[in-house]
Amino acid sequence: MKKVKSLVLAGLLAFAPTLAMNGPALAQENAAVAAPATGNDTAAADSASHAAAPAAEAAPAEKVAAPPRMKPTLGIGMPMPGEITLQKQFSPTGHTARWLHDVMLLPIIFAISILVLILMAYAMWKFRRSANPIPSKTSHNTLIEVIWTVVPVVILLVIAVPSIGLLADQYKPAPKDALTVKVTGYQWYWGYEYPDNGIPEFVSNLLPRDKAGANGEPYLLAPDNRLVLPVGRPIKLIITGADVIHSFAVPSLWVKMDAVPGRLNEKSFTIEKPGVYYGQCSELCGARHGFMPIAVEALPPAQFDQWLLSQGGKLQGAGAATTAQAPQPAAAPAAKL
């Protein structure tokens, strides 16, 4: 019996440290089970907030569809059959230039030509040999010399005043809120870029005859991609060349500026009416010089903003402010657990 008691006592002494270490652990587990439910409520709230986070995030915006390609209108932005004067103008500087050409220059040129013709005919008839066998020896006439000196000076002054005003308007710097477009001439196509709106350069090439006819556009004037601009907003073109000298010209908008490699030329204007305005390269630039058409598609401001968004661009100015102030849909409240 003494041996059995000794063995039992030895076993208890061997397991005593293990029981002493497990006691606090069991006490902590029991305390955690008996703790109030406040901690569980906090954990549940955190889980709910994480579950609601994806719902609060805005859904990706749907791609905006581009406005339909505008059809050209006869008499707007293109030459007309039998036309003997400048194209009809659709910009403020264009109106001034056409008025100067049609109302001032042409009448003065016509009047001077008729006057000179009459004077020549009168001199040929009055001073012919049969009527004047003895020619006149008059070498000076003060009145006539004063007249033919003063009258041309007056005519040039009358022409100079509106001409200088037109030159100043053509090269007036664009306002700060103007839409900036970079135009680059290549052999033999055009490249357009909207740096302030985040639209990278895209190129514009001549449409084949069949595709131009299918679109109802004039052949040799219709490109595949147009330069899209807004109506009623100031526009600033930054024009350059990539290889040789080109010239960006749209007659009905009174726009013409050389595209010179290594140089940035600026042209500012405002389009008054929606439409498609055609032009061409106006500087001999190589074998396909005659196949570099320009087409400006002028859209109302709302449609132009739509086009910008459809190309992945961003709005600026009034359009951006309107978009920023638009009410956003509220996120659905998270469900309570």
Side-chain angles (χ1 to χ4, degrees), residues 109-195:
I109 293 171
F110 182 78
I112 292 175
S113 300
I114 295 299
L115 176 63
V116 172
L117 180 62
I118 292 174
L119 290 176
M120 289 178 61
Y122 174 78
M124 292 169 63
W125 175 79
K126 179 68 176 177
F127 301 105
R128 66 189 188 278
R129 172 180 285 185
S130 60
N132 295 276
I134 301 176
S136 173
K137 297 184 180 296
T138 302
S139 59
H140 295 284
N141 187 306
T142 303
L143 178 61
I144 293 177
E145 290 179 355
V146 170
I147 291 175
W148 73 35
T149 301
V150 173
V151 170
V153 171
V154 173
I155 294 174
L156 291 177
L157 288 175
V158 171
I159 296 174
V161 173
S163 297
I164 293 174
L166 176 61
L167 286 173
D169 291 340
Q170 288 182 135
Y171 294 97
K172 184 182 299 182
K176 292 183 179 180
D177 61 342
L179 171 72
T180 301
V181 180
K182 183 181 178 183
V183 178
T184 305
Y186 299 92
Q187 289 182 311
W188 288 272
Y189 56 92
W190 295 98
Y192 304 124
E193 178 184 355
Y194 297 71

Side-chain angles (χ1 to χ4, degrees), residues 275-334:
V276 182
Y277 302 90
Y278 294 102
Q280 287 179 305
C281 177
S282 297
E283 184 74 31
L284 188 60
C285 58
R288 293 186 59 81
H289 158 69
F291 304 95
M292 286 183 64
I294 301 165
V296 175
E297 183 172 343
L299 297 175
Q303 292 187 23
F304 175 74
D305 292 342
Q306 178 186 353
W307 179 84
L308 279 180
L309 295 176
S310 70
Q311 302 302 310
K314 58 184 179 180
L315 304 181
Q316 287 193 331
T322 303
T323 303
Q325 294 173 4
Q328 301 295 331

Side-chain angles (χ1 to χ4, degrees), residues 261-276:
R263 179 182 299 176
L264 297 178
N265 291 329
E266 180 178 318
K267 186 68 176 177
S268 61
F269 59 98
T270 303
I271 306 175
E272 298 177 337
K273 185 176 181 179
V276 182

Side-chain angles (χ1 to χ4, degrees), residues 74-91:
L74 193 64
I76 297 179
M78 66 178 72
M80 297 296 294
E83 195 170 41
I84 59 175
T85 184
L86 301 175
Q87 292 184 27
K88 189 176 180 180
Q89 298 298 307
F90 295 91
S91 68

Side-chain angles (χ1 to χ4, degrees), residues 20-107:
M21 293 179 64
N22 291 337
L26 293 174
Q28 289 179 2
E29 290 179 2
N30 295 333
V33 172
T38 306
N40 292 337
D41 293 343
T42 305
D46 292 340
S47 300
S49 63
H50 287 299
E57 295 179 0
E62 296 183 1
K63 183 174 177 59
V64 178
R69 186 180 177 96
M70 183 178 291
K71 295 291 185 181
T73 303
L74 193 64
I76 297 179
M78 66 178 72
M80 297 296 294
E83 195 170 41
I84 59 175
T85 184
L86 301 175
Q87 292 184 27
K88 189 176 180 180
Q89 298 298 307
F90 295 91
S91 68
T93 53
H95 292 310
T96 303
R98 181 161 180 171
W99 173 87
L100 181 63
H101 177 268
D102 292 350
V103 178
M104 181 170 287
L105 293 181
L106 282 183

